[in-house]
Amino acid sequence: MLKQQLNFKLSQKLSPQQIQLMKLIQLPTQAFEQRLKQELEENPAMDSGKDNADDYDSDASVQDQEYDDYDNDQINAEDINIDEYLSDDEIPTYRTQANNYSGDDDEKSVPYASGTSFNQHLKTQLNTFRLNEEERSIAEFLIGSVDESGYIRRSITDILDDLAFTQNVYTTEEKISEVFEIVQQLDPAGVGATSLQECLLLQLRRKEPTIPIILAIRILEKSFEQFTKKHYQKLLHKFDVNEEQLKDAILEIERLNPKPGSSYSGSTKMIEHVVPDFAIRIVDGALELTLNGRNAPELHVSREYSNMLKGYKDSKEKSKSQKDAVLFIKQKLDAAKWFIEAVKQRQQTLFVTMNAIMHYQQAYFLSGDERKLKPMILKDIADMIDMDVSTVSRVANSKYVDTPYGTKLIKEFFSESMKNTEGEDVSTREIKKILETVINEEDKRKPLTDEKLASILKEKGYPIARRTVAKYREQLDLPVARLRKKI
C-alpha cells in the first residue's frame, strides 16, 4: 500500500546582507574602524570625509536629470537610478541628527610604551657577573626558562638533560645549582624561584634583618603550610611570640610580590586599552547619552564613479567594454549603498539599545549605587525597543559605556532576579553588593562562614541558601572564611 504524505516546513534564512549587519553591530568602536578602513580600501566606489560634499550639493539636480533611467537594450543590465546612489548618501542624514554622536570626533591614538623583554632585561644583568663560557650558557638557558610570573618551574634534572640535547652543553647538577643562585640574585627580587615559598624567602633575605623580617623568614622556612592556612594560634605557640609580633611579621610577608615577573614594566605583554562606545553624563539632573563619534563616519559615493556613469550616458556609441564597465560600476555602487545604509542602521541600533538600558537603569546611573541596579535580562530591553534578543546581546556583550562612575562593560548591567521577603524582585547584583559589603565590614579575627553570611542576608530580607552564598562569594573572588582571617 502506497502512502503519500505532504509536509510543509517553514524556515527563515538570513540574507548575506543581514548577516553582515549583525557582524557590524557586534563590533566595538576600534574593531568597527578597522572594518570601515577595510571596506574603503576594497570598494573604490565609496569615499569618506567632506572633501567633495560641496560639489555634490551643486551638481545634485543635474545628476538627477541625467541619470533618471537607462535603456536596458543599450547596456544589457538592470536600470540604474543614480538617485539611489548619490542623492541620499552625499551627506548622510544620520550625521546631522541631534544627540547621537559625541562632539569630540577627533581620533586619538593611544601610544604603547616600547622596551626590552623581561628575558632580555635579565640577560643584560648577567654582564655584572664574572662568568665563564659554560656558566653563561647555563645562565642564559635558565633565564630562557623563566615564565611570565618570574618562576623557573623545572627540575634541575630536566634542565641538565635539555642543556645536553638542545644546547650541546654537558655539565653537572652541582654546576647548575651554582648558576641557579646567580640567576636568583637578579632583579626583580624573587625571580628564578622554583616555588612560592622560595620566591618570598628570596625577597625577605634581601631586606634589612629587622626583628619582624627575621621572624617572617623563620615562619616561611619552618611553618609555611601553617602560614598559608592561617593557623595563627599554632604559629604563636610554636615561635613563642605575642600577637603584635606575629602581626608585624605577617605584614612584612604580605608586602612581598608573589609574581615578580609580572611587575616588570618592559614586559612584552600588551595592555588592552578600552575605547568607550557610549558616554552617559548627568546634565541638570537628567541623563544624557552620546555615541562615540568614531561610530558615525561620513560616507558617500565616489565622485569619480559618478563621472564614469555620466561619461557612459554622453557617449554616442556603447562598446561591449563600456557596458561591462557600467555593470562593474553598478555592482560597486550597490555594495557602497548597502554598506552606508548598514552603518546607519548600526549606529541607530546601538543608540536605541543603550538608550533603553540607560532609562531602565536610571536609578543607578543617577546615583552610582550598584544596589539600585534593577533585575534586567536581554528580553526586557528587546521588548522595549522591539528588536530581537540576539541583537541586544550583540550590543551588550562587546560594548563599553563611559559613566560618571567609570567605564563599564554593558553586559554587567544585566542580572537575574529573585524575590525578597517582601515579595519584591531584586537584582542578584544587589545581593552580591550587600554580600561584599558584609564581608568587608566583618571582624577579620573571626570572619563569617557562608552559613552565617546566609543568615545575615536572610535578616536583611534576602532569603538565599548557603550554597548560593558560596557561589556569589566565589564570583566576587572572595576566599572562604578561614583564608580571610587576620590577626
Side-chain angles (χ1 to χ4, degrees), residues 69-79 312-320 322-324 326-327:
D69 58 10
Y70 280 88
D71 185 351
N72 277 343
D73 294 334
Q74 282 185 315
I75 64 172
N76 192 28
E78 299 178 46
D79 289 351
Y312 178 81
K313 174 69 177 178
D314 293 342
S315 64
K316 295 180 179 179
E317 295 184 4
K318 273 73 174 177
S319 66
K320 185 179 183 303
Q322 284 179 311
K323 294 175 183 178
D324 292 341
V326 167
L327 290 175

Side-chain angles (χ1 to χ4, degrees), residues 27-208:
L27 295 176
T29 299
Q30 286 179 304
F32 170 70
E33 287 183 317
Q34 291 299 316
R35 176 68 180 86
L36 177 63
K37 181 180 178 182
Q38 177 187 352
E39 189 70 20
L40 286 168
E41 290 174 351
E42 293 177 356
N43 191 350
M46 186 167 63
D47 282 340
S48 65
K50 300 180 180 180
D51 296 343
N52 299 322
D54 294 337
D55 294 336
Y56 279 116
D57 289 340
S58 61
D59 293 349
S61 59
V62 178
Q63 291 170 357
D64 290 347
Q65 294 172 4
E66 289 182 347
Y67 306 120
D68 277 343
D69 58 10
Y70 280 88
D71 185 351
N72 277 343
D73 294 334
Q74 282 185 315
I75 64 172
N76 192 28
E78 299 178 46
D79 289 351
I80 301 177
N81 185 349
I82 202 63
D83 295 349
E84 296 180 1
Y85 302 112
L86 294 180
S87 300
D88 292 341
D89 294 328
E90 291 159 10
I91 302 178
T93 55
Y94 58 90
R95 282 288 296 182
T96 62
Q97 293 172 0
N99 200 30
N100 66 353
Y101 62 94
S102 169
D104 183 11
D105 284 344
D106 295 335
E107 180 178 348
K108 295 178 175 61
S109 58
V110 180
Y112 292 99
S114 61
T116 58
S117 68
F118 183 36
N119 284 355
Q120 187 59 48
H121 171 67
L122 296 175
K123 285 181 181 179
T124 302
Q125 295 179 62
L126 291 179
N127 296 328
T128 61
F129 296 86
R130 286 189 175 184
L131 303 174
N132 58 38
E133 187 176 342
E134 178 191 16
E135 291 169 337
R136 178 168 286 276
S137 297
I138 296 171
E140 290 184 351
F141 185 84
L142 290 175
I143 288 173
S145 301
V146 174
D147 63 19
E148 289 182 356
S149 297
Y151 289 79
I152 298 177
R153 305 181 192 272
R154 306 182 63 204
S155 69
I156 290 181
T157 304
D158 288 342
I159 293 171
L160 180 69
D161 291 340
D162 277 358
L163 278 168
F165 286 112
T166 64
Q167 306 297 315
N168 204 27
V169 174
Y170 298 92
T171 184
T172 64
E173 291 188 5
E174 289 74 17
K175 175 60 72 174
I176 294 175
S177 296
E178 290 176 13
V179 180
F180 233 117
E181 293 180 3
I182 294 173
V183 171
Q184 290 177 346
Q185 293 178 44
L186 304 178
D187 290 326
V191 73
T194 58
S195 66
L196 174 60
Q197 181 182 15
E198 186 177 33
C199 177
L200 299 177
L201 283 169
L202 285 171
Q203 295 177 61
L204 284 174
R205 287 169 182 155
R206 290 203 193 181
K207 293 178 177 286
E208 183 183 348

Side-chain angles (χ1 to χ4, degrees), residues 406-465:
T407 300
K408 310 286 185 181
L409 184 61
I410 295 171
K411 71 176 181 180
E412 293 179 357
F413 300 128
F414 290 84
S415 64
E416 299 290 341
S417 66
M418 67 160 287
K419 291 189 181 297
N420 60 17
T421 52
E422 297 177 1
E424 300 171 333
D425 284 335
V426 294
S427 168
T428 53
R429 284 288 300 273
E430 178 182 339
I431 299 172
K432 288 180 185 178
K433 188 65 179 178
I434 293 172
L435 176 62
E436 186 177 24
T437 302
V438 171
I439 291 176
N440 288 338
E441 294 177 352
E442 70 184 356
D443 181 1
K444 297 304 179 185
R445 296 169 65 91
K446 296 179 181 179
L448 302 167
T449 63
D450 290 343
E451 190 171 350
K452 182 61 177 173
L453 288 169
S455 176
I456 293 173
L457 286 173
K458 187 175 182 180
E459 291 173 5
K460 291 179 176 289
Y462 305 98
I464 60 176

Side-chain angles (χ1 to χ4, degrees), residues 201-262:
L201 283 169
L202 285 171
Q203 295 177 61
L204 284 174
R205 287 169 182 155
R206 290 203 193 181
K207 293 178 177 286
E208 183 183 348
T210 60
I211 293 175
I213 294 291
I214 294 172
L215 177 57
I217 292 173
R218 290 176 62 201
I219 290 172
L220 293 182
E221 285 179 336
K222 300 178 180 180
S223 302
F224 183 70
E225 186 175 354
Q226 290 176 331
F227 165 73
T228 57
K229 292 182 177 179
K230 299 196 173 184
H231 291 161
Y232 295 139
Q233 289 301 321
K234 293 181 180 179
L235 293 175
L236 288 170
H237 179 72
K238 183 171 183 176
F239 295 99
D240 192 22
V241 293
N242 59 40
E243 288 189 358
E244 194 63 34
Q245 290 172 317
L246 180 60
K247 184 177 180 180
D248 290 341
I250 290 174
L251 186 60
E252 291 293 344
I253 297 174
E254 290 176 343
R255 288 172 177 165
L256 305 176
N257 186 356
K259 295 182 179 180
S262 62

